[in-house]
Amino acid sequence: MNTRDFIEKVPLSVIAGAKGRYTAIIINTTGNNSITESLGFLYTHSKYKIGVIETDKAGLNETIAICSTTGAKLIVLGDDAIPEFNLVTPVSGFSCALISTGSYNGKKDNILDLIIENNRVTDFSHIGFQQYKYDPDRLHLLREKYFESLRLGLLRENITSAEPLIRGKEYLFFDMNSIRVSDFPENHEKSPNGLYAEEACQIGRYIGMNQNLRICYIFGYKPESLPGSSSSQLAAEIIWHISEGIASSVDEDPSLSEKDDYFHRKIVSMGEEGQDMIFVTSSFSGRWWMEIPEFKNNRTRFVPCSLSDYQCACNGEVPLRWIFFFQKINPN
């Protein structure tokens, strides 16, 4: 069945009464329907319905508030301007991730600075950046605040390393200019390096699989783009992967005792002088967590990780991710 049967343009006036009807709602602020038209030529492999609402940036806050009552995940389509950060994020603490090339070449108004200088951001991951495009001072601040980072080279070695950094984040910001110009011709930086189209789509699936996702804001897209262009097709394919990820996501929480049968605990001995490290894996999704002690509150934290972290421990080495979170959870 063609995906078009699952795409439904909806007036905002009736969306409040559509609770449970939509798996995802696309809020299009670009004034251009080229992405949703391109999405209509793809095929769905899961049963879900996507609502589409057209609005402008002035009405974005109200539109998000109304759409949030439906229980659907929200995908906001922005243009090539800086995202409306304060309109899409709450006034209290929240977590987020950003997929972009770096620190925006020192521009004063940029999404990275809005995130890392905002005291409301409690947890943050910067994914897919190119180190030579990152101001060392901004990268130092990122690490000083115990925010996570994954540069493009490490992501390319193992794309699955991006998933733990996305898992659990409530707000995702995806800059289409993080994709190399040969795959995304409308990349305004004309950068020869960046994410491959396939990597961008895989990241989209990880975004959709995230049960805590509230809003994914896709930006860096020229509003004058034509339907059927390679850029609009790629944006549509990323949204398709997000939607399929949402439809196939499984609610998993290894800290809940009633779901013990869903998880397998792996205990790795680190030798006579080292403490045992405990990893947990899901029998449904294959995702991994590591248990990290929080001494102050005498409890254990379950931190998302990857199979490679477990394999690293099995080889007698303490995973860098474990060290990072141990220091973050137990500051001196």
Side-chain angles (χ1 to χ4, degrees):
M1 186 176 292
N2 194 286
T3 308
R4 181 170 294 168
D5 298 326
F6 292 87
I7 299 175
E8 191 172 85
K9 191 169 183 178
V10 192
L12 186 61
S13 58
V14 301
I15 197 69
K19 188 174 183 179
R21 178 176 175 82
Y22 302 106
T23 297
I25 296 176
I26 296 173
I27 302 174
N28 186 8
T29 69
T30 67
N32 184 327
N33 62 1
S34 61
I35 296 177
T36 52
E37 282 194 16
S38 295
L39 186 61
F41 289 102
L42 304 180
Y43 292 88
T44 181
H45 291 265
S46 303
K47 291 185 178 180
Y48 58 82
K49 188 175 285 291
I50 300 174
V52 178
I53 290 180
E54 305 285 342
T55 188
D56 55 19
K57 292 182 180 180
L60 182 57
N61 198 334
E62 178 187 6
T63 302
I64 287 174
I66 295 174
C67 291
S68 296
T69 64
T70 66
K73 309 295 187 183
L74 306 184
I75 301 171
V76 177
L77 300 183
D79 52 25
D80 54 357
I82 185 172
E84 303 295 319
F85 186 76
N86 289 325
L87 292 182
V88 300
T89 55
V91 295
S92 56
F94 61 91
S95 60
C96 65
L98 170 67
I99 296 93
S100 78
T101 59
S103 56
Y104 292 89
N105 297 320
K107 293 180 181 178
K108 290 185 177 180
D109 296 323
N110 68 79
I111 183 65
L112 177 64
D113 284 354
L114 287 176
I115 293 173
I116 63 176
E117 295 179 357
N118 193 315
N119 292 330
R120 293 177 293 138
V121 178
T122 58
D123 191 18
F124 172 58
S125 299
H126 196 177
I127 300 166
F129 64 87
Q130 299 163 46
Q131 193 144 346
Y132 43 79
K133 292 186 176 182
Y134 220 119
D135 181 340
D137 291 336
R138 309 315 286 158
L139 191 57
H140 176 75
L141 178 59
L142 182 88
R143 292 168 177 168
E144 189 177 61
K145 298 185 76 168
Y146 278 102
F147 290 155
E148 295 184 87
S149 61
L150 180 66
R151 62 181 177 84
L152 181 64
L154 293 176
L155 181 149
R156 183 144 298 148
E157 289 178 8
N158 182 6
I159 185 66
T160 62
S161 61
E163 190 277 330
L165 278 69
I166 292 172
R167 195 190 320 167
K169 299 298 190 296
E170 298 166 289
Y171 297 86
L172 274 293
F173 297 88
F174 197 132
D175 187 349
M176 293 290 291
N177 292 290
S178 61
I179 304 167
R180 61 180 184 168
V181 69
S182 57
D183 288 7
F184 183 64
E186 294 181 8
N187 183 319
H188 66 75
E189 296 180 1
K190 304 299 180 185
S191 175
N193 292 314
L195 292 169
Y196 299 155
E198 296 86 352
E199 292 168 337
C201 289
Q202 183 62 56
I203 288 173
R205 185 168 182 84
Y206 292 151
I207 292 172
M209 290 170 59
N210 172 15
Q211 292 102 39
N212 289 354
L213 176 67
R214 295 187 180 183
I215 296 175
C216 177
Y217 196 120
I218 299 174
F219 64 104
Y221 182 83
K222 293 181 179 179
E224 63 270 18
S225 298
L226 298 175
S229 68
S230 57
S231 294
S232 65
Q233 289 185 65
L234 178 55
E237 289 171 12
I238 292 172
I239 294 173
W240 182 92
H241 280 82
I242 294 172
S243 302
E244 289 284 326
I246 294 171
S248 62
S249 66
V250 180
D251 186 13
E252 296 180 313
D253 186 347
S255 67
L256 300 178
S257 59
E258 64 267 24
K259 292 191 175 183
D260 281 349
D261 293 342
Y262 299 169
F263 300 98
H264 302 287
R265 298 177 83 244
K266 311 281 187 178
I267 302 176
V268 181
S269 175
M270 302 305 291
E272 293 183 2
E273 298 182 0
Q275 67 181 75
D276 290 344
M277 300 187 69
I278 300 175
F279 294 82
V280 179
T281 183
S282 164
S283 59
F284 286 98
S285 68
R287 290 186 287 194
W288 288 80
W289 293 259
M290 52 190 177
E291 294 187 14
I292 296 181
E294 183 180 358
F295 297 130
K296 181 179 179 180
N297 296 314
N298 193 27
R299 65 174 184 173
T300 297
R301 293 266 198 103
F302 289 88
V303 174
C305 67
S306 65
L307 171 62
S308 61
D309 292 312
Y310 170 67
Q311 293 171 332
C312 179
C314 289
N315 290 331
E317 300 177 13
V318 180
L320 291 177
R321 187 168 179 79
W322 192 95
I323 297 172
F324 176 87
F325 275 97
F326 181 85
Q327 293 174 340
K328 180 178 181 177
I329 292 171
N330 301 286
N332 293 330

